Amino acid sequence: MGLPLMMERSSNNNNNKVELSRVAVSDTHGEDSPYFAGWKAYDENPYDETHNPSGVIQMGLAENQVSFDLLESYSEKKNPEGSLWGSKGSRGFRENALFQDYHGLKTFRQAMASFMEKIRGGKASFDPDRIVLTAGATAANELLTFILADPNDALLIPTPYYPGFDRDLRWRTGVRIVPIHCDSSNHFQITPEALETAYETARDANIRVRGVLITNPSNPLGATVQKKVLEDLLDFCVRKNIHLISDEIYSGSVFHESEFTSVAEIVENIDDVSVKERVHIVYSLSKDLGLPGFRVGTIYSYNDNVVRTARRMSSFTLVSSQTQHMLASMLSDEEFTEKYIRLNRERLRRRYETIVEGLKKEGIECLKGNAGLFCWMNLGFLLNTKTKEGELELWDVILKELKLNISPGSSCHCSEFGWFRVCFANMSEKTLEIALKRIHEFMDRRRRF
Amino acid sequence: MSLDKNLLSKLAVGDKHGEDSPYFDGWKAYDNNPFHPEHNPQGVIQMGLAENQLCSDLIKDWIKANPHASICTAEGIDGFSDIAVFQDYHGLKQFRQAIAAFMERARGGRVRFEEERVVMSGGATGANETLMFCLADRGDAFLVPTPYYAAFDRDLSWRTGVRIIPVECNSSNNFQVTKQALESAYLNAQETGIKIKGLILANPSNPLGTSLGRETLQTLMDFINDKQIHLVCDEIYAATVFAEPGFISVAEMIQEMDHVNRDLIHIVYSLSKDMGLPGFRVGVVYSYNDAVVTCARRMSSFGLVSSQTQSFLAAMLSDQSFVDNFLKEVSKRVAKRHLIFTEGLKEMGVSCLRSNAGLFVLMDLRQMLRDQTFESEMALWRIIIDKVKINISPGSSFHCSEPGWFRVCFANMDEDTLQTALQRMKSFVLRHRENKKKRKSFQENLKLSFSSKMYDEHVRSPRLLSPHSPLVRT
């Protein structure tokens, strides 16, 4: 049986390129967004205090580097890997290296549950057996989507939202996102009207809505969701018989713990199982602890079926047992976690105040925020036209002239133009000052013309 | 009053997670009554788990001598923050280089691997699924030679919606996959309107424990090239090969077979078996197709390897003398276990499929079946779990087309436990033989638990449904 056509070995032959899947060739991976173009500019010309002081300062990456010293001194003193590495570590290492049970290390789950409770000031309790581990919140969000929705169904998400959701929730799952439009007239809070409008939009397009997904505290707003709004949301979900997912990945980054209400607190006081069972929480150590490299995400669900299914599905994305072991040690050290949570909040608050006040001096307002690793800055007054193009034009100027990579609101699907997310926790205080200086010089130049 | 199940996706309420298979009943039996030499010497011995526990001492020694490889020791702490924030889906460069080097050495240096093509995934489990997402749409199919790794059903199909079309192999030629079997499966699929996107197999094979010979590899490569469909080779047991013909990777075949379209060739690898580190979740997608590398890399965001683990392995696997010694020892120790176990079985008149790799053997118990049916296979399997107290895996869970074959793992325990298992098998086999003789002479029930009455009871037990093998259904 001869070949119909001689295939060239080189993949440069574009005429007969072998087919990949629809998922593979789609652009739902989202990397063509300006959100990432800025990152590339940074990668090509990264700021460095000594070696490249005129390079691009990365303010588009929501990383928490303000509390590393606490982690490092803990690790060095207590060596949380110690039991695997030292002379006593003989049995420990092998058991740990073999441990691939998708339930996850019990000690680690217990430590996570306890850490999550501390963050909420003990206002909610978490059962370690409801914790499902995944390699990052990225995987947790995708996994929940696979479990709660079928292809072509939709999740309702308030705008503006984390740009990564477009990929994480839609790419391989085939599920859609229908936006719940929020605007500055009420500080971008979700209103019952906006919820209904979004639901009806989906219905009119014959799309089945399976749930609402919120991020609380919000990315990119840097603000917590009010308790009343959470109650309304849960109410809405019950009425429509859909799920509520709360991504609380920034819960430990709220400046004042009392200002954060977790959906867990609301559920804590509810007895009706049919209400509880539609609530699911996503968490991760990437933001609060600044450990995105370790890939530690969790799904916490009040629904037994979801817990069981998520656990099975986590086979595709388990947390390294080496990492589970180290963090179990670290997170069960009560003295350490209390100190860490407290100091981390303080340092983030101070950073926030520094940047917001610095911007205010230049006549730039930010949304009143109380959490997160970024502020939501309003440059609407600087746009040539209040359109997406106008916004991207300004963004480009800021990137090329000021060499600051910040994230345009349109990449977060914001319906108002001129808003930008500015990260402040992924750099030294000195670098933050330099960034503010560049902004000052820019505004100065503009004022003179 | 709980939410009705309709509130979850079809994917969630279906059973494609595969855990209702009898394959897992044996595990449950083990979990409820695990063997321990001192605390529970009558417990169930786990021989259904293909783990490699033979070389952890080598790794431990290396760790003790290299504290800098940990980010939590005084020697390594300086790297802590950089590693902790590193979430770039390209992975640490040193890690990619070390993995590429390890893969090369596991193939005797006969091939080169480019570190830019090394893409991470959540174990081989994640790697196999990722490749399906990249290469096939929902409803498309992949050919898989039987018998195959039980969890392929879940890994390849569950979330992807890709179908598995089994390519039947049988013992007449030691379960080698033939051109006729491939062509026949392909044709059948075409006739029923199913779009075949590729062929996936494990080499060395689980559960056969055999590595593919050059000729078979040529047949496979020519087949997929002729049809212009993908070839995914799961080479997760590469370093466990201990005898002829040695390990021939598809990477080597590409070098020899110039005319084959490289865009069709993809390798899956992991450190779970060769190194015995399943907990660390180190999966690799290695593709010769640039578009697949890019896509798989983007998808790796859903299953990256912990940077702490990357960092540790980068250090360990770039230690060439450690790696070379390790690979030599793996092969040697697996060979030794294999010999002990197969010789032990041979002494009691039990044979195994001749194998040269893997952490298990495929034991031939066809003679012990009541009749050559899967019901009898399940009945025999139940006796082995409940009475002999050994968890082994019935061939039907691997979609084997012939009843009577059982996969038995030998590398996940110490030698004493292995001997205990052999002794239990011996008692069982001898008694079974005696009973068979007696049953032929006497037509009455015996007191011993291996009477035919007990045998029939097991067959009629409600637990013993026909296994979910698609081959049995057709």
Side-chain angles (χ1 to χ4, degrees):
Chain A
M1 204 175 297
L3 291 172
L5 194 66
M6 218 29 204
M7 297 306 296
E8 303 215 319
R9 191 187 355 132
S10 158
S11 50
N12 284 331
N13 176 6
N14 285 313
N15 297 327
N16 274 302
K17 261 209 135 17
V18 69
E19 268 181 32
L20 298 190
S21 67
R22 284 185 215 118
V23 165
V25 303
S26 84
D27 59 4
T28 317
H29 50 72
E31 290 187 14
D32 303 323
S33 154
Y35 184 68
F36 294 103
W39 292 30
K40 288 175 202 148
Y42 167 76
D43 285 336
E44 280 153 23
N45 182 19
Y47 169 84
D48 181 280
E49 210 179 312
T50 24
H51 305 301
N52 191 16
S54 56
V56 176
I57 298 180
Q58 173 65 292
M59 301 187 92
L61 181 56
E63 256 176 21
N64 181 0
Q65 296 189 20
V66 307
S67 304
F68 264 138
D69 58 313
L70 301 175
L71 292 168
E72 277 166 357
S73 72
Y74 171 86
S75 294
E76 205 178 347
K77 230 182 299 167
K78 302 284 184 79
N79 190 352
E81 277 211 290
S83 72
L84 299 186
W85 296 78
S87 46
K88 294 182 201 154
S90 311
R91 276 211 69 186
F93 174 80
R94 192 176 65 169
E95 265 171 27
N96 181 261
L98 292 172
F99 186 83
Q100 60 173 328
D101 181 349
Y102 59 28
H103 288 81
L105 274 179
K106 194 165 177 96
T107 48
F108 179 54
R109 279 183 288 121
Q110 285 166 336
M112 277 296 272
S114 148
F115 188 70
M116 288 168 75
E117 284 171 1
K118 271 207 189 54
I119 285 176
R120 290 156 184 73
K123 285 178 278 178
S125 61
F126 290 96
D127 175 1
D129 291 334
R130 289 193 173 284
I131 288 183
V132 175
L133 301 171
T134 61
T138 300
N141 281 315
E142 188 198 42
L143 216 136
L144 267 178
T145 306
F146 268 122
I147 292 176
L148 304 178
D150 293 312
N152 292 315
D153 288 343
L155 291 176
L156 304 182
I157 307 194
T159 67
Y161 62 77
Y162 165 53
F165 278 160
D166 287 327
R167 173 198 66 182
D168 299 349
L169 308 178
R170 299 183 321 158
W171 192 20
R172 307 190 306 178
T173 62
V175 171
R176 305 184 222 225
I177 294 177
V178 172
I180 302 167
H181 288 296
C182 304
D183 60 65
S184 59
S185 63
N186 71 337
H187 309 288
F188 294 96
Q189 292 282 305
I190 306 163
T191 64
E193 296 77 34
L195 275 169
E196 284 292 342
T197 304
Y199 189 87
E200 254 138 62
T201 304
R203 201 195 46 195
D204 291 343
N206 266 320
I207 297 172
R208 188 174 166 200
V209 174
R210 301 306 287 269
V212 176
L213 188 150
I214 61 166
T215 308
N216 177 27
S218 159
N219 173 10
L221 300 178
T224 55
V225 178
Q226 289 169 18
K227 185 169 185 189
K228 175 79 176 51
V229 175
L230 287 174
E231 285 164 351
D232 286 345
L233 270 170
L234 189 51
D235 214 49
F236 175 80
C237 290
V238 170
R239 270 185 289 119
K240 303 294 187 202
N241 195 19
I242 59 179
H243 294 275
L244 177 59
I245 304 170
S246 181
D247 183 341
E248 303 192 346
I249 199 180
Y250 293 100
S251 46
S253 306
V254 182
F255 310 149
H256 302 285
E257 181 241 289
S258 56
E259 292 180 14
F260 174 58
T261 306
S262 163
V263 74
E265 285 174 53
I266 301 190
V267 171
E268 190 95 344
N269 299 319
I270 294 178
D271 286 323
D272 188 349
V273 162
S274 74
V275 172
K276 280 173 107 115
E277 280 192 341
R278 56 185 81 247
V279 178
H280 323 280
I281 298 174
V282 167
Y283 187 57
S284 157
L285 300 180
S286 299
K287 308 297 178 182
D288 291 346
L289 276 184
L291 307 172
F294 293 173
R295 313 316 299 145
V296 181
T298 85
I299 293 172
Y300 189 91
S301 176
Y302 294 90
N303 183 316
D304 291 347
N305 273 333
V306 173
V307 171
R308 185 170 41 241
T309 307
R311 201 184 272 142
R312 287 170 172 163
M313 224 181 251
S314 68
S315 300
F316 297 107
T317 181
L318 297 173
V319 177
S320 168
S321 54
Q322 178 192 17
T323 301
Q324 288 189 51
H325 176 92
M326 172 180 71
L327 293 175
S329 216
M330 197 187 276
L331 294 184
S332 29
D333 187 328
E334 299 233 342
E335 203 194 308
F336 167 75
T337 52
E338 267 170 38
K339 176 173 165 196
Y340 181 93
I341 291 173
R342 188 175 31 94
L343 286 179
N344 185 50
R345 288 192 207 279
E346 269 175 42
R347 292 176 184 185
L348 290 175
R349 184 182 47 79
R350 264 189 279 127
R351 283 287 177 105
Y352 175 82
E353 278 163 11
T354 303
I355 193 175
V356 166
E357 274 158 28
L359 291 172
K360 201 160 176 189
K361 284 196 193 119
E362 310 304 325
I364 298 173
E365 293 290 327
C366 293
L367 181 78
K368 187 155 186 332
N370 62 349
L373 313 175
F374 33 73
C375 60
W376 190 236
M377 178 174 73
N378 188 0
L379 295 183
F381 68 99
L382 290 179
L383 299 190
N384 286 331
T385 55
K386 262 232 163 149
T387 59
K388 182 173 173 185
E389 291 71 33
E391 181 183 282
L392 290 177
E393 227 181 81
L394 178 59
W395 170 73
D396 200 53
V397 166
I398 294 173
L399 183 60
K400 303 257 163 63
E401 271 185 44
L402 283 82
K403 303 265 182 23
L404 294 179
N405 178 37
I406 61 180
S407 312
S410 49
S411 64
C412 303
H413 302 277
C414 189
S415 46
E416 275 178 34
F417 299 110
W419 292 89
F420 293 82
R421 188 192 75 170
V422 187
C423 300
F424 55 67
N426 61 317
M427 62 191 70
S428 66
E429 275 178 37
K430 201 149 178 231
T431 308
L432 185 58
E433 271 162 44
I434 306 238
L436 283 169
K437 190 152 155 268
R438 289 184 189 180
I439 293 175
H440 166 77
E441 283 159 7
F442 171 73
M443 294 302 289
D444 228 21
R445 285 199 296 274
R446 283 193 82 114
R447 276 190 280 270
R448 277 188 244 124
F449 292 103
Chain B
M1 208 195 317
S2 155
L3 279 186
D4 66 308
K5 269 198 154 171
N6 282 333
L7 263 134
L8 300 191
S9 65
K10 297 194 187 87
L11 208 138
V13 302
D15 62 357
K16 291 209 96 177
H17 49 74
E19 288 188 18
D20 300 329
S21 155
Y23 181 65
F24 293 99
D25 280 355
W27 291 36
K28 289 172 201 155
Y30 168 76
D31 285 336
N32 292 334
N33 183 19
F35 171 85
H36 186 279
E38 284 107 47
H39 307 308
N40 191 17
Q42 300 307 317
V44 175
I45 298 179
Q46 173 65 290
M47 301 189 90
L49 183 55
E51 259 177 16
N52 179 0
Q53 295 188 17
L54 305 180
C55 293
S56 46
D57 59 311
L58 299 175
I59 299 179
K60 277 181 302 203
D61 288 342
W62 189 90
I63 289 175
K64 280 188 216 154
N66 292 275
H68 69 276
S70 162
I71 47 175
C72 297
T73 56
E75 293 84 346
I77 194 71
D78 284 344
F80 187 92
S81 26
D82 284 340
I83 295 295
V85 294
F86 187 84
Q87 58 174 327
D88 180 347
Y89 61 26
H90 288 80
L92 283 174
K93 195 178 172 80
Q94 320 87 282
F95 172 71
R96 276 180 287 130
Q97 284 168 337
I99 292 282
F102 185 78
M103 287 173 71
E104 284 173 4
R105 295 188 115 73
R107 288 152 185 75
R110 294 182 295 275
V111 291
R112 295 282 350 268
F113 286 109
E114 298 165 58
E115 45 102 347
E116 303 90 24
R117 292 189 178 282
V118 173
V119 172
M120 296 179 285
S121 60
T125 301
N128 281 315
E129 190 198 42
T130 293
L131 276 171
M132 290 303 108
F133 271 123
C134 291
L135 306 177
D137 296 320
R138 300 198 146 262
D140 288 344
F142 256 74
L143 298 172
V144 191
T146 70
Y148 61 80
Y149 168 51
F152 268 169
D153 289 325
R154 172 196 67 183
D155 299 351
L156 306 179
S157 301
W158 192 16
R159 306 194 302 180
T160 63
V162 172
R163 304 158 70 145
I164 291 183
I165 305 287
V167 179
E168 242 184 75
C169 305
N170 58 68
S171 60
S172 65
N173 68 340
N174 292 324
F175 296 100
Q176 294 282 301
V177 61
T178 63
K179 183 163 184 223
Q180 294 94 300
L182 287 167
E183 292 286 352
S184 155
Y186 187 83
L187 204 62
N188 281 338
Q190 272 201 318
E191 280 168 3
T192 49
I194 296 172
K195 193 156 181 222
I196 303 273
K197 293 314 272 283
L199 167 67
I200 179 170
L201 50 82
N203 174 35
S205 159
N206 174 10
L208 301 178
T210 54
S211 69
L212 293 176
R214 190 158 252 106
E215 258 186 57
T216 311
L217 279 163
Q218 277 167 354
T219 303
L220 293 175
M221 304 268 287
D222 279 330
F223 173 77
I224 57 107
N225 195 48
D226 177 49
K227 308 280 187 271
Q228 282 298 291
I229 60 176
H230 294 280
L231 176 62
V232 177
C233 264
D234 184 339
E235 301 191 341
I236 200 179
Y237 291 99
T240 65
V241 179
F242 56 83
E244 290 303 302
F247 180 55
I248 306 170
S249 163
V250 72
E252 279 181 65
M253 298 308 295
I254 281 183
Q255 283 168 177
E256 292 173 23
M257 300 174 77
D258 252 8
H259 62 282
V260 172
N261 182 1
R262 286 190 176 206
D263 278 348
L264 300 172
I265 312 293
H266 324 275
I267 298 176
V268 164
Y269 190 58
S270 158
L271 300 181
S272 300
K273 308 297 178 181
D274 287 350
M275 292 205 82
L277 304 172
F280 291 5
R281 313 316 302 148
V282 182
V284 176
V285 171
Y286 189 95
S287 174
Y288 291 89
N289 181 321
D290 292 346
V292 173
V293 170
T294 303
C295 184
R297 194 186 282 135
R298 288 174 171 155
M299 285 187 184
S300 69
S301 299
F302 299 108
L304 294 171
V305 176
S306 166
S307 55
Q308 175 197 15
T309 302
Q310 288 187 51
S311 168
F312 158 61
L313 290 171
M316 189 168 74
L317 298 184
S318 34
D319 183 338
Q320 282 189 21
S321 65
F322 165 79
V323 167
D324 286 340
N325 182 54
F326 185 89
L327 289 171
K328 187 168 51 100
E329 285 297 313
V330 170
S331 173
K332 210 166 99 183
R333 296 179 191 191
V334 169
K336 184 176 175 204
R337 279 294 172 98
H338 179 270
L339 188 67
I340 293 174
F341 194 60
T342 50
E343 289 291 297
L345 289 176
K346 202 160 154 194
E347 272 167 31
M348 51 180 109
V350 173
S351 63
C352 299
L353 183 76
R354 206 178 58 162
S355 60
N356 67 330
L359 308 173
F360 35 74
V361 286
L362 200 62
M363 191 166 66
D364 183 356
L365 295 185
R366 289 177 293 175
Q367 306 288 3
M368 295 180 75
L369 295 187
R370 194 83 188 285
D371 44 46
Q372 300 302 309
T373 63
F374 287 105
E375 281 83 6
S376 297
E377 179 182 279
M378 291 308 283
L380 178 58
W381 176 65
R382 271 254 80 95
I383 292 174
I384 294 175
I385 296 210
D386 295 339
K387 303 295 170 191
V388 190
K389 301 248 182 46
I390 300 180
N391 178 34
I392 61 181
S393 313
S396 51
S397 59
F398 298 94
H399 302 279
C400 189
S401 55
E402 291 171 26
W405 296 89
F406 293 82
R407 188 195 75 171
V408 190
C409 300
F410 54 64
N412 61 314
M413 64 195 66
D414 58 41
E415 253 181 64
D416 288 337
T417 308
L418 190 65
Q419 292 296 349
T420 306
L422 278 169
Q423 271 162 32
R424 289 187 189 180
M425 275 303 289
K426 192 168 179 184
S427 319
F428 167 65
V429 168
L430 293 180
R431 258 181 306 186
H432 190 272
R433 226 169 256 147
E434 259 183 61
N435 290 344
K436 215 171 171 181
K437 278 194 209 137
K438 285 184 182 166
R439 255 202 315 280
K440 279 188 175 153
S441 329
F442 306 104
Q443 291 300 314
E444 73 231 25
N445 290 334
L446 295 171
K447 273 185 285 184
L448 294 173
S449 53
F450 300 101
S451 67
S452 58
K453 180 180 172 203
M454 182 64 96
Y455 194 90
D456 287 342
E457 269 174 16
H458 279 285
V459 172
R460 272 186 252 120
S461 155
R463 280 183 306 180
L464 291 177
L465 303 169
S466 284
H468 302 167
S469 166
L471 299 173
V472 170
R473 270 192 250 115
T474 53

